[in-house]
Amino acid sequence: MTPDFWRGKRVFLTGHTGFKGSWLSLWLQRMGAHVTGFALTPPTDPSLFDVARVAEGMTSVIGDIRDADALRRAMHDAQPDIAIHMAAQALVRYSYAHPVETYAVNVMGLVHFFEAVRATPSVKAVVNVTSDKCYENREWVWGYRENEAFGGYDPYSNSKGCAELVTAAYRSSFFNPARHAEHGVALGSGRAGNVIGGGDWALDRLVPDIVRAIGVGEPVHIRSPHAIRPWQHVLEPLSGYLTLAEHLYTDGAKYAEGFNFGPADTDAQPVQWIVERLCAAWGEGARWELDRNPQPHEAHYLKLDCAKAHSVLHWRPRWTLGTALDKIVEWHRAQLAGADMRALTLAQIDSYLSTT
């Protein structure tokens, strides 16, 4: 990724009020991009979007991606060079209770986004962000590659498999790489999961649950201590999405494919490892307990093979999982102490960029 590339670029970002979207919005602002965001109001209170004053450096449009006309108008007004789609219903357990909403947002919302791109000739590069859960999970011990079958057991995971199929259909039908000279749009997708970082207060996510419990002096209740996930700091996949977008813009259809962005194999750790490491880093008697209540199905083992991103995009993660957890503790301790969280979040971005 080349920070200078983004200076002056017009970027349209859906989901900018969410956790990942707020981090990406600040990063784009830091690099001098002109950012227009389109999303619902922040999904949590508190939220990174509010705490870090993300709206100060961008155009923030509050809207619903299920409203095709509103989304199309917002993108037309922005006239972006690059469009990144991150808006989603992103929680597995929520999808069991709200399957219709999950599919409406994650599938038809994506269709509306692509239709808005088709109606906006200024767009040259498009990145659709899905999830590592888009793959049909067979509980393999090796990582899933980009050519594996899509699927998904629960409505959320399945909706992300559907989103990848929608992406492939639009790429073939409307943004075909073989006809790039005619339409001028290069479309790629980024797949990552189990993203962690400061400023995430979402329900039913491990690290936010840990931070909330520690903050009130209660034990952390853990559902699946032996479940293994590819944990990574939020800046890792975001750097991948930015790298992919840059290549799509610069080299056209050559990179119009799907890419996995995950951590090193050594950072695929069980839930219990994460909890114990965070509790130790926080101190002050932080502890955890097993939640013995019945739970809906969730994958036990999931890992990505990122060799394609390494070799084709020359992208690699910069922070170890230990560093990521230390940054989370630093962020939330600063927030509780009343620090300027916009400045601290930008400082963590700068720290990430300075890591080789």
Side-chain angles (χ1 to χ4, degrees), residues 195-280:
V195 171
I196 57 178
D200 188 2
W201 281 282
L203 296 174
D204 289 326
R205 281 192 185 146
L206 178 64
V207 173
D209 287 347
I210 294 172
V211 171
R212 268 189 293 270
I214 290 175
V216 296
E218 296 180 354
V220 182
H221 293 282
I222 301 303
R223 300 190 299 268
S224 304
H226 303 299
I228 296 173
R229 298 287 185 271
W231 311 97
Q232 59 185 329
H233 193 276
V234 62
L235 293 176
E236 302 287 10
L238 294 185
S239 73
Y241 307 153
L242 292 171
T243 300
L244 175 57
E246 185 177 328
H247 279 77
L248 290 168
Y249 186 93
T250 303
D251 299 302
K254 182 179 178 181
Y255 298 92
E257 301 174 348
F259 289 87
N260 292 336
F261 299 104
D265 287 347
T266 54
D267 286 336
Q269 294 286 351
V271 168
Q272 183 172 339
W273 189 96
I274 296 289
V275 178
E276 291 177 348
R277 179 70 167 73
L278 268 179
C279 287

Side-chain angles (χ1 to χ4, degrees), residues 69-85:
D69 291 338
L71 179 57
R72 185 169 56 250
R73 287 194 302 270
M75 191 178 296
H76 176 270
D77 291 345
Q79 290 294 297
D81 305 300
I82 297 168
I84 303 174
H85 182 59

Side-chain angles (χ1 to χ4, degrees), residues 22 26 42 44-56 198-199 201 331-332 334-336 338-345:
S22 292
L26 285 176
T44 62
D45 183 16
S47 70
L48 176 60
F49 184 77
D50 291 329
V51 169
R53 309 190 310 280
V54 176
E56 287 185 4
W201 281 282
W331 197 99
H332 281 279
Q335 192 264 332
L336 290 172
D340 181 338
M341 297 315 296
R342 180 182 176 89
L344 190 139
T345 306

Side-chain angles (χ1 to χ4, degrees), residues 31-322:
M31 295 188 293
H34 303 298
V35 187
T36 297
F38 184 93
L40 299 172
T41 55
T44 62
D45 183 16
S47 70
L48 176 60
F49 184 77
D50 291 329
V51 169
R53 309 190 310 280
V54 176
E56 287 185 4
M58 64 183 297
T59 300
S60 176
V61 180
I62 301 301
D64 193 326
I65 60 171
R66 291 170 291 185
D67 186 339
D69 291 338
L71 179 57
R72 185 169 56 250
R73 287 194 302 270
M75 191 178 296
H76 176 270
D77 291 345
Q79 290 294 297
D81 305 300
I82 297 168
I84 303 174
H85 182 59
M86 295 181 65
Q89 191 301 94
L91 300 173
V92 170
R93 287 162 64 88
Y94 185 92
S95 77
Y96 280 107
H98 305 278
V100 174
E101 176 187 345
T102 298
Y103 283 102
V105 172
N106 293 352
V107 181
M108 287 310 300
L110 175 61
V111 171
H112 297 161
F113 172 78
F114 285 149
E115 286 298 299
V117 169
R118 292 182 65 203
T120 310
S122 64
V123 178
K124 298 296 183 290
V126 180
V127 175
N128 175 36
V129 175
T130 61
S131 169
D132 59 353
K133 295 179 178 64
C134 69
Y135 296 109
E136 181 67 40
N137 190 354
R138 301 176 184 178
E139 302 286 354
W140 285 335
V141 296
W142 53 85
Y144 291 87
R145 296 168 297 180
E146 287 84 352
N147 60 352
E148 307 285 0
F150 300 126
Y153 182 103
D154 58 89
Y156 166 73
S157 302
N158 185 265
S159 74
K160 286 302 184 178
C162 292
E164 284 288 353
L165 292 173
V166 170
T167 302
Y170 267 79
R171 183 188 294 118
S172 297
S173 301
F174 306 111
F175 310 127
N176 196 303
R179 300 195 300 274
H180 182 262
E182 301 172 20
H183 55 74
V185 177
L187 168 60
S189 66
R191 305 156 189 172
N194 294 94
V195 171
I196 57 178
D200 188 2
W201 281 282
L203 296 174
D204 289 326
R205 281 192 185 146
L206 178 64
V207 173
D209 287 347
I210 294 172
V211 171
R212 268 189 293 270
I214 290 175
V216 296
E218 296 180 354
V220 182
H221 293 282
I222 301 303
R223 300 190 299 268
S224 304
H226 303 299
I228 296 173
R229 298 287 185 271
W231 311 97
Q232 59 185 329
H233 193 276
V234 62
L235 293 176
E236 302 287 10
L238 294 185
S239 73
Y241 307 153
L242 292 171
T243 300
L244 175 57
E246 185 177 328
H247 279 77
L248 290 168
Y249 186 93
T250 303
D251 299 302
K254 182 179 178 181
Y255 298 92
E257 301 174 348
F259 289 87
N260 292 336
F261 299 104
D265 287 347
T266 54
D267 286 336
Q269 294 286 351
V271 168
Q272 183 172 339
W273 189 96
I274 296 289
V275 178
E276 291 177 348
R277 179 70 167 73
L278 268 179
C279 287
W282 194 279
E284 301 177 17
R287 63 199 189 282
W288 70 279
E289 294 178 355
L290 180 64
D291 185 348
R292 300 185 182 278
N293 293 318
Q295 306 294 337
H297 174 275
E298 292 189 69
H300 175 74
Y301 193 93
L302 182 60
K303 186 169 71 171
L304 295 176
D305 183 327
C306 301
K308 181 179 176 183
H310 297 169
S311 62
V312 176
L313 299 177
H314 306 294
W315 172 89
R316 288 187 180 275
R318 301 187 183 203
W319 281 351
T320 65
L321 180 54

